[in-house]
Structures are given as structure tokens and as C-alpha cells.
């Protein structure tokens, strides 16, 4: 084996360890988040839809950075569907021989950082700031050396926006940022060692914990008293009658205050943008479908909070994201209250083929 091969094996091991270290529920849900490592010629990144906690070195998709760089000078179509199709084509062409899996749509974004390692996470503690009305001002106060990005549609648009913002930051500071906070999305951390990435992540979370304590905002999601089993059974029977196979599997939790709108792309992917907050009668579900154009994935009624799905896995993911969203919305109180994604941003995620693929893989 050559020396370079040994080096890349070690780098892949480090990416895997970093992914496992930050693959728990405290940091990401489902197939969310991402991790990558690179050398001068190759970028290795988690494939789309795979959970960070499940990653193995052999799973990482290797991309030729020279071929990937064609994206940065590509003349992107105005039409979103055509634009993302072009991005997918260029990225697939950049996949190195012998590598398998679909490269993450974030690949060119990770490639835009000079740092060896890039980690992308969605901790609720971060969500409380990036999904808040005063999040940008708070970020500038708490993390003065970080780069804040207003919400931008994921994919090529976000990649190019961050590339330009990083270039401007570099001109002003003489170096690239190590921390990027993206509104209604999450956190990117970049460093030349996996240990430095870990240190930066924990420092961010420690600062945010301090602010929540100072603001008197609980970092634990509150639950009400569980309902009688008869009430729970009645609600499930109503759901099954109206929703049929879509409610084949149901997760139930004691009542909690579900989020009232779309917070991040991951919340839309796994639990949709809106929840039904009513007894799941045929009339209530019909009104919900008329208002939103889809069946509810999460229902809150006096008997508790119910997440439904066609498999145990996607029902549980919906519940996980419902609790995550509830906690994020609770935490935004420390930063001026919640700021939901716009209708246009929501529509982009709902209709984006990349997210449909990620949802399918994760379910």
C-alpha cells in the first residue's frame, strides 16, 4: 500500500470517529447533518440519507475535487429543477472510480472550505438561535468571529452563497471562518483536525447553554400528564379510519407543545411543515388537508401527541423531529421568539428531489 493510501485511510477513520461522536440525538436527527474530510485532490463525504451514527469508512463517497470544481463556474439555469439536475449530474461525474453511494448535495459546500474537516450539525441548542427572530444579532454578540448566513435554499444556491460569503470574510479577516451559522438550518464547523472540530462544537454549545440559563429558558422539553389508555386508543382508531395505510404505524407521547410552523428543512422532510392540533376526526383532517395540501404526519390532541407513518422507522422519525421542533421553538424565547421558514422556502423543500431521496433512504 502506498503512503498516500495509508494517509487517506487514516483520514477516513477520523471522519468516521467524528461522525459517531456527533451522531447522537443531541446533535442531529435521522439522516440529517454531515461530515467530510479532504486532501488536495479528493473530498470524502457522507452519502445522502445515511445517519452519521451509522457511518463506516467504506460508506464515504470519494469525489474528485477538480471535477467537483466545475460547479463553481457552471452557468446554472434559473429554473430550480433544472439547476439542481445540473448539480446532481456534475457531482455524480465527480464520484471517484470504485466509490459508491449518492454524494451529499452539500459536497461542493464542504469543498469550499480549505479546512481538512467540515462538520454540519443541527443541535436544538443551536436551532434555538438560528430559528429565532433576533438570532443574527445574538450570533454577532455571542460568536463575533463566526459567519452568519441568512436562510438560503439548500443545494447549489446555498453552496454559492456560502462560497461568496466565505471569500468576503477571508478578505476582511485574512482567514476563512471556522464557524458558519445558517438561519433556520444549523451549524457548520471547519478545522484542520478532528479534535479542533470537536472543541469548537462543544464551545458553541457551552456558550448557548449559558445564554439559555441567563434567559431563564429551560433546555428540557416539558410534557403533560399521559392520557388514559382508552382516550389514546380512541384517537388511534380515528386516525386509522381516516388515514388508512398512511397511519399503519403510530408513535404516541404524553402532550407537549408542538411547533406551530416549519423551522428547518429536516423538520419539513420528516414531519412536514404543519401539525394537526385537534381531535383527529374526519372533518378536522379534511380541513387540514384543504389548508395544507397533505395528510398530517403529527397530530396533537387531548390524548397526547401522535406521529404516524407507513413504517415504524418513519413514524419514529416524525416523532423525533416533532419533539426536536418543540424544543427548538421553546428555546427561541431566549432570542426574541420564533421565526419560521417562509412559504417559498417551505415549497422548495417540499418539492426538492434531493430531500425526497433522503427521506426514502432514512425511512
Amino acid at each position: 500500500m502506498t503512503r498516500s493510501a495509508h494517509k487517506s485511510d487514516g483520514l477516513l477513520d477520523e471522519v468516521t470517529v467524528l461522525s459517531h461522536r456527533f451522531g447522537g440525538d443531541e446533535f442531529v436527527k435521522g439522516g440529517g447533518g454531515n461530515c467530510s474530510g479532504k486532501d488536495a485532490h479528493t473530498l470524502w463525504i457522507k452519502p445522502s440519507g445515511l445517519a452519521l451514527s451509522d457511518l463506516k469508512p467504506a460508506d464515504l463517497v470519494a469525489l474528485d475535487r477538480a471535477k467537483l470544481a466545475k460547479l463553481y463556474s457552471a452557468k446554472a439555469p434559473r429554473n430550480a429543477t433544472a439547476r439542481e439536475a445540473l448539480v446532481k449530474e456534475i457531482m455524480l461525474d465527480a464520484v471517484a472510480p470504485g466509490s459508491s453511494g449518492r454524494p451529499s448535495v452539500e459536497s461542493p459546500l464542504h469543498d469550499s472550505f480549505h479546512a481538512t474537516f467540515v462538520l454540519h450539525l443541527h443541535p436544538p441548542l443551536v436551532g434555538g438561535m438560528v430559528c429565532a427572530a433576533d438570532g443574527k444579532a445574538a450570533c454577532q454578540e455571542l460568536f463575533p468571529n463566526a459567519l452568519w448566513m441568512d436562510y438560503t435554499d439548500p443545494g447549489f444556491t446555498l453552496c454559492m452563497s456560502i462560497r461568496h460569503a466565505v471569500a468576503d470574510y477571508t478578505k476582511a479577516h485574512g482567514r476563512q471562518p471556522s464557524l458558519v451559522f445558517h438561519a433556520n438550518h444549523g451549524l457548520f464547523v471547519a478545522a484542520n483536525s478532528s479534535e479542533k472540530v470537536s472543541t469548537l462544537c462543544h464551545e458553541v454549545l457551552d456558550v448557548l447553554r449559558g445564554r439559555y440559563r441567563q434567559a431563564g429558558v429551560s433546555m428540557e422539553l416539558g410534557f403533560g400528564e399521559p392520557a388514559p389508555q382508552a382516550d389514546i386508543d380512541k384517537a388511534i382508531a380515528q386516525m386509522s379510519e381516516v388515514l388508512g395505510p398512511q397511519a399503519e404505524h403510530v408513535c404516541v407521547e404524553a402532550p407537549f407543545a408542538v411547533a406551530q410552523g416549519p423551522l428547518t428543512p429536516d423538520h419539513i422532510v420528516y414531519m412536514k411543515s404543519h401539525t394537526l392540533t385537534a381531535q383527529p376526526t374526519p372533518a378536522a383532517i379534511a380541513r387540514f388537508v384543504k389548508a395544507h395540501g397533505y395528510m398530517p404526519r403529527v397530530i396533537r390532541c387531548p390524548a397526547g401527541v401522535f406521529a404516524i407513518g407507513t413504517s415504524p422507522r418513519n413514524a419514529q422519525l416524525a416523532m423525533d423531529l416533532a419533539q426536536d421542533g418543540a424544543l427548538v421553538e421553546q428555546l427561541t424565547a431566549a432570542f426574541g421568539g420564533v421565526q419560521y421558514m417562509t412559504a417559498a422556502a417551505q415549497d422548495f423543500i417540499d418539492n426538492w428531489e434531493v430531500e425526497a431521496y433522503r427521506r426514502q433512504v432514512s425511512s
Side-chain angles (χ1 to χ4, degrees):
M1 186 178 289
T2 66
R3 183 177 178 181
S4 61
H6 278 299
K7 181 179 178 181
S8 68
D9 284 348
L11 189 149
L12 268 59
D13 289 337
E14 282 195 79
V15 172
T16 303
V17 170
L18 195 58
S19 299
H20 293 176
R21 186 176 297 163
F22 291 96
D25 284 348
E26 180 184 356
F27 307 104
V28 290
K29 297 287 189 296
N34 216 317
C35 192
S36 70
K38 67 174 79 69
D39 62 19
H41 306 289
T42 306
L43 171 78
W44 289 270
I45 194 164
K46 179 180 78 73
S48 183
L50 183 68
L52 283 171
S53 58
D54 294 336
L55 183 73
K56 300 184 292 293
D59 294 324
L60 288 160
V61 181
L63 296 163
D64 184 315
R65 296 184 68 192
K67 291 184 177 180
L68 191 60
K70 294 177 182 178
L71 265 176
Y72 312 139
S73 58
K75 191 170 183 179
R78 288 182 177 272
N79 177 270
T81 301
R83 181 176 64 243
E84 297 306 321
L86 174 65
V87 172
K88 179 181 175 182
E89 179 183 342
I90 292 175
M91 286 201 303
L92 288 175
D93 183 62
V95 175
S99 192
S100 60
R102 177 169 171 169
S104 168
V105 70
E106 288 183 357
S107 299
L109 191 159
H110 285 233
D111 184 63
S112 297
F113 288 95
H114 296 160
T116 303
F117 300 96
V118 178
L119 181 66
H120 172 201
L121 301 174
H122 311 139
L125 296 180
V126 170
M129 183 179 75
V130 301
C131 296
D134 298 334
K136 182 174 183 178
C139 179
Q140 292 169 341
E141 174 198 349
L142 298 174
F143 307 102
N145 294 320
L147 173 64
W148 172 274
M149 294 292 299
D150 291 334
Y151 184 82
T152 305
D153 288 335
F156 180 79
T157 305
L158 178 60
C159 168
M160 296 310 294
S161 294
I162 287 187
R163 277 184 71 85
H164 294 318
V166 166
D168 291 342
Y169 181 102
T170 304
K171 287 180 183 178
H173 298 84
R175 59 176 178 80
Q176 287 195 332
S178 296
L179 301 174
V180 177
F181 292 91
H182 185 209
N184 289 101
H185 196 171
L187 168 68
F188 293 88
V189 182
N192 284 325
S193 76
S194 58
E195 287 306 315
K196 181 62 175 178
V197 170
S198 296
T199 298
L200 288 168
C201 285
H202 289 299
E203 287 176 352
V204 165
L205 297 179
D206 285 344
V207 168
L208 289 169
R209 288 188 188 100
R211 176 52 62 95
Y212 293 125
R213 284 192 289 266
Q214 181 184 13
V217 175
S218 174
M219 289 173 271
E220 299 291 332
L221 181 61
F223 291 85
E225 289 296 322
Q229 189 62 45
D231 293 350
I232 293 172
D233 292 342
K234 178 181 177 181
I236 292 176
Q238 287 178 316
M239 293 173 209
S240 299
E241 179 183 352
V242 180
L243 300 174
Q246 293 190 59
E248 184 174 349
H249 297 275
V250 181
C251 290
V252 187
E253 285 287 353
F256 60 87
V258 295
Q260 297 300 299
L263 292 164
T264 72
D266 271 14
H267 291 97
I268 294 176
V269 168
Y270 297 115
M271 62 168 281
K272 305 299 287 184
S273 297
H274 300 278
T275 60
L276 172 62
T277 52
Q279 193 68 22
T281 63
I285 291 174
R287 286 193 296 270
F288 182 94
V289 173
K290 184 176 181 180
H292 302 296
Y294 52 82
M295 293 288 192
R297 291 288 312 278
V298 176
I299 298 170
R300 187 187 190 281
C301 64
V305 177
F306 300 79
I308 63 175
T310 56
S311 72
R313 173 66 173 160
N314 60 34
Q316 186 61 57
L317 280 171
M319 180 59 78
D320 290 346
L321 270 295
Q323 293 184 42
D324 183 269
L327 179 57
V328 167
E329 186 159 317
Q330 176 178 302
L331 292 169
T332 62
F335 303 108
V338 68
Q339 178 169 284
Y340 300 117
M341 294 171 64
T342 65
Q346 171 192 329
D347 288 344
F348 177 85
I349 299 298
D350 276 334
N351 296 295
W352 194 21
E353 182 273 338
V354 170
E355 295 293 33
Y357 175 83
R358 185 157 70 101
R359 181 166 52 243
Q360 178 184 2
V361 171
S362 296
S363 297

